[in-house]
Amino acid sequence: MNVAPKEILDLNRFDATRTDGFPPELAERVARRQSSFGASSVLFYEQPIEMVRASGAYMYDVNGRRYLDVYNNVPSVGHCHPRVVEAIARQVGQLNIHTRYLNRVVEDYAEKLLATFPSPLGNLVMTCTGSESNDLAMRIARIGTGGEGFIVTEAAYHGNTALVTEISPSSLRRREPALFVEVIPAPTAHDDMSVEDSFAASVEQAIAKLRARGLALAGMIVDTIFSSDGIYADPPGFLKTAVDIVHRAGGLFIADEVQPGFGRSGGGLWGFRRHGITPDIVTMGKPMGNGFPMGGVVTRPDLLKMFCEETGYFNTFGGNPVAAAAGRAVLEVIEEEGLIEASRSVGTGFRQALEALRMAHPQIGEVRGAGLFIGLDFIDPEQVAPDSALTTHVINEMKQNGILIGAAGKFGATLKIRPPLCFSSDDAAVFVATLDTILEAR
Ligand SMILES: Cc1ncc(COP(=O)(O)O)c(C=O)c1O
């Protein structure tokens, strides 16, 4: 059966042409939104929700209805965590400037963050978003290697700048990525090969194809938990051979930690740690400030020096003291509340319960993941094909039952289970019971 791929922003997207039966107030709110934001406006759900506040793993809508958040990884240590809120408020009342003055809050944060990386990753550039981080990483890789070409996975999303959109196949609606990009499948075992071997073979082929077009390799960039591809975490270590191949071909390995970073995978602070590899460049974003906009690039001093000899880099808001205060509070909360261990233990129990649910429902395909990042495939058991219609149904039904969840994967048929790290085993039990009821009723 042929199933059409889906663009990442289309997953669980509200369709503005279908407002029949909306309460008048909601219809009016949606119309106002559309009229200001036009074609770029993307809202979630068949009936969008107006949110007003949040705390921990819960969000509250305009009517005071509570939702369990199993979707949002930005407020990673918990929505509106008081420690982070207090750190931001204190610093914004004291000083907020760019990085061209010495400031202890900024320098302390850089040292604290860099201490979490293996040698030789010794320098940090602070940005405001994951997109800016990946854009800079690509430019560093090109200057550092003299190569042009990049390898990415087929449903990857790495951000929204002109350059980064080219390495985000899941964003391209009407065309293939640019010629400097080679796209490889998500890491799965096939043709009698292990995940590690088949991924490595794809990388070899991609390098050969770039060479055939006269392009040297600048690097391979992957999200180390392959979020938009559908969450592929296992077996730990499968990236190693591919990374060795990239290095032998003269390229760099860029680990995009925008999704798995800051403890989500439960195997340390960084997703790449599970693979026993040391990237040349690491990019960060979303959970870094728990909602305060901040991103970063960590790399080797020699690479950054080569880049800075070619071109300057200044980011007005990147690395401002308020961002640094937020970032520092996030690192402290992760440590003090044991959130990496919590991610591992709550995530393991959650995955086991979802596995048990799979036994009862043939519409559930694979359950994959690490820590509190789990992917659950929905399939049409008769056609043995991805079932994005069921995924959309489940997402909307979960919302009706007070649970927020999203989708991922090339076909939009993978439930993307990615709650804040303060999510508890009780929350997981509520999720599993609700999913069970929805599938039972289908
Ligand atoms: C893996 C990955 N990298 C980069 C980005 C871009 O981050 P931002 O939206 O902060 O620019 C995203 C955003 O979803 C992402 O998922």
Side-chain angles (χ1 to χ4, degrees):
M1 187 170 129
N2 254 347
V3 184
K6 290 210 163 189
E7 193 258 333
I8 193 160
L9 287 175
D10 280 339
L11 305 179
N12 186 30
R13 180 185 187 146
F14 162 65
D15 178 353
T17 63
R18 299 181 60 186
T19 54
D20 298 353
F22 274 27
E25 203 179 318
L26 179 62
E28 192 252 317
R29 295 302 316 277
V30 168
R32 269 180 66 194
R33 164 66 81 107
Q34 297 297 126
S35 111
S36 306
F37 292 99
S40 73
S41 170
V42 176
L43 292 166
F44 278 159
Y45 296 111
E46 286 160 3
Q47 282 205 12
I49 321 176
E50 181 176 356
M51 289 297 182
V52 290
R53 71 184 180 90
S55 173
Y58 295 95
M59 294 169 71
Y60 299 82
D61 76 7
V62 69
N63 301 310
R65 172 145 199 226
R66 189 177 88 157
Y67 294 88
L68 177 61
D69 183 1
V70 193
Y71 178 80
N72 287 295
N73 61 340
V74 172
S76 188
V77 300
H79 285 273
C80 304
H81 193 291
R83 273 285 285 284
V84 184
V85 171
E86 197 266 335
I88 292 170
R90 187 162 19 96
Q91 187 59 44
V92 83
Q94 189 173 330
L95 177 75
N96 196 20
I97 39 144
H98 57 76
T99 44
R100 288 186 170 168
Y101 303 95
L102 289 170
N103 181 268
R104 232 171 257 264
V105 182
V106 176
E107 283 113 44
D108 284 355
Y109 175 64
E111 283 167 13
K112 192 168 171 61
L113 185 69
L114 284 169
T116 68
F117 286 92
S119 159
L121 295 171
N123 282 166
L124 166 70
V125 180
M126 283 172 75
T127 66
C128 303
T129 66
S131 302
E132 285 182 351
S133 304
N134 284 329
D135 193 284
L136 177 60
M138 289 176 76
R139 294 168 62 201
I140 292 173
R142 280 185 165 169
I143 289 174
T145 61
E148 281 285 303
F150 282 95
I151 300 172
V152 296
T153 48
E154 63 184 341
Y157 179 75
H158 293 291
N160 60 19
T161 70
L163 186 60
V164 174
T165 298
E166 295 301 336
I167 56 150
S168 299
S170 71
S171 284
L172 299 173
R173 289 204 166 114
R174 298 196 176 167
R175 63 171 177 88
E176 299 295 312
L179 283 177
F180 69 82
V181 181
E182 263 305 316
V183 166
I184 59 173
T188 53
H190 51 78
D191 299 338
D192 288 334
M193 281 196 274
S194 66
V195 178
E196 178 160 4
D197 289 347
S198 67
F199 195 69
S202 300
V203 170
E204 294 264 29
Q205 284 164 18
I207 293 168
K209 285 185 191 163
L210 286 169
R211 277 197 187 128
R213 294 205 289 277
L215 289 165
L217 183 66
M220 172 170 80
I221 174 164
V222 300
D223 160 353
T224 59
I225 198 153
F226 298 87
S227 323
S228 54
D229 280 291
I231 301 114
Y232 293 90
D234 284 330
F238 77 74
L239 276 174
K240 189 160 183 343
T241 307
V243 170
D244 288 345
I245 291 168
V246 166
H247 282 150
R248 279 204 298 277
L252 301 183
F253 173 57
I254 303 170
D256 180 337
E257 291 285 337
V258 168
Q259 296 275 354
F262 295 92
R264 176 153 301 277
S265 72
L269 210 54
W270 309 114
F272 68 80
R273 291 279 199 187
R274 291 182 73 250
H275 289 280
I277 49 178
T278 301
D280 302 288
I281 308 177
V282 179
T283 59
M284 289 157 270
K286 293 179 191 274
M288 195 171 182
N290 206 51
F292 193 90
M294 61 188 299
V297 176
V298 166
T299 189
R300 299 184 341 229
D302 60 314
L303 287 172
L304 191 58
K305 185 163 177 279
M306 280 169 82
F307 175 78
C308 291
E309 278 164 4
E310 285 298 319
T311 172
Y313 187 82
F314 175 60
N315 190 318
T316 300
F317 296 113
N320 68 70
V322 179
R328 188 190 168 111
V330 167
L331 290 178
E332 285 168 358
V333 171
I334 291 174
E335 208 172 304
E336 286 162 25
E337 296 185 7
L339 291 181
I340 296 175
E341 175 49 32
S343 174
R344 179 167 46 233
S345 59
V346 176
T348 302
F350 197 0
R351 256 195 336 277
Q352 284 163 354
L354 291 167
E355 262 304 326
L357 200 65
R358 188 171 76 85
M359 299 300 157
H361 297 285
Q363 309 98 304
I364 300 181
E366 247 181 25
V367 177
R368 300 178 292 273
L372 275 172
F373 207 152
I374 304 173
L376 181 152
D377 290 343
F378 283 118
I379 51 165
D380 175 341
E382 276 161 30
Q383 308 275 355
V384 200
D387 193 342
S388 62
L390 175 60
T391 314
T392 304
H393 170 78
V394 167
I395 288 171
N396 281 283
E397 284 299 303
M398 289 294 248
K399 176 204 149 195
Q400 291 307 113
N401 286 277
I403 297 177
L404 306 175
I405 184 77
K410 185 175 174 186
F411 304 107
T414 302
L415 219 51
K416 182 167 65 177
I417 301 170
R418 188 189 52 181
L421 302 184
C422 56
F423 192 80
S424 70
S425 299
D426 289 349
D427 293 329
V430 169
F431 181 98
V432 174
T434 310
L435 181 57
D436 189 19
T437 309
I438 292 168
L439 293 176
E440 203 61 59
R442 175 85 168 166

